[in-house]
Amino acid sequence: MLKMQDKITNLEAISAKVGLKIDYKNTETMKINTTSCPLITVKGETIREIESFVYLGSVEDGQGGSDNDIVSRIKKARISFVILKKVWNSKEININTKLLIFNSNVKAILLYGSETWRITKALYQKIQTLLNSCLQQIYRIRSPERNCNDDLRKKAKQEPISVVIQCRK
């Protein structure tokens, strides 16, 4: 089996034959689930090593986990929800339309890439808490009169997030 440096050297040689060059200044490496790997070089220049990066909107990290991506998705969904505050507070827009907007603009952002997540009960809880909070604001449910979350989900015709993510997988 070829080591990573050998693979990069081969890639560099084959690329050069067709007129392509590896731009070592804009190239990065990341170790996934490994402890030892020598530094990789291109034309004598060391390739920078990183801990995580964003690929197609998902955060990838060296542990191969999903925690950072899920936290990032929660932040993005929360921002999307706040941006649409005028929609949620509008009395001219009916609740069914608000739920459609919520599903397509907040929930879709939140669940992007969830098919690949390795997820724990604690993370399910964080996601469900965000969704419950959003639904409470859409339905204008205030703190003293908060209903059971199960009743709220039924009212909004929403499945528990654990079921939604399992169906996506």
Side-chain angles (χ1 to χ4, degrees):
M1 184 168 117
L2 289 175
K3 295 191 187 281
M4 185 55 75
Q5 182 61 57
D6 295 334
K7 291 179 182 181
I8 295 295
T9 303
N10 287 343
L11 175 65
E12 188 177 12
I14 293 168
S15 299
K17 289 179 183 178
V18 294
L20 298 175
K21 297 177 186 176
I22 298 175
D23 183 1
Y24 64 88
K25 292 178 184 173
N26 291 319
T27 302
E28 302 169 330
T29 63
M30 183 175 74
K31 297 178 197 173
I32 297 178
N33 293 331
T34 187
T35 53
S36 66
C37 182
L39 294 175
I40 297 171
T41 61
V42 174
K43 292 187 179 180
E45 298 290 333
T46 302
I47 303 295
R48 187 170 34 136
E49 204 169 289
I50 58 171
E51 297 294 320
S52 68
F53 68 97
V54 177
Y55 180 71
L56 297 176
S58 295
V59 178
E60 305 296 330
D61 64 28
Q63 285 71 43
S66 306
D67 296 18
N68 291 337
D69 188 34
I70 294 169
V71 169
S72 172
R73 290 273 133 215
I74 289 171
K75 288 177 185 176
K76 290 174 183 178
R78 189 174 285 128
I79 289 167
S80 175
F81 186 81
V82 169
I83 288 171
L84 293 166
K85 186 176 183 176
K86 288 182 180 180
V87 172
W88 315 134
N89 292 335
S90 173
K91 293 182 180 178
E92 289 82 35
I93 302 173
N94 73 37
I95 196 71
N96 290 331
T97 304
K98 289 179 183 182
L99 289 172
L100 287 171
I101 293 169
F102 172 73
N103 287 332
S104 63
N105 290 283
V106 178
K107 205 169 174 182
I109 289 170
L110 176 65
L111 297 177
Y112 177 81
S114 62
E115 301 85 2
T116 62
W117 291 347
R118 288 187 332 193
I119 192 163
T120 63
K121 286 184 181 181
L123 291 171
Y124 275 129
Q125 186 61 41
K126 279 184 178 182
I127 296 168
Q128 191 64 63
T129 299
L130 170 67
L131 293 175
N132 292 344
S133 172
C134 292
L135 290 173
Q136 288 166 354
Q137 289 181 49
I138 291 170
Y139 277 98
R140 297 182 180 185
I141 297 172
R142 305 290 179 235
S143 296
E145 58 182 82
R146 288 196 181 200
N147 297 347
C148 175
N149 290 328
D150 291 335
D151 293 340
L152 180 62
R153 280 195 310 273
K154 287 177 186 171
K155 187 176 184 179
K157 298 177 183 139
Q158 302 277 322
E159 293 283 337
I161 200 61
S162 58
V163 173
V164 173
I165 292 173
Q166 287 303 320
C167 287
R168 287 172 156 241
K169 290 184 176 194

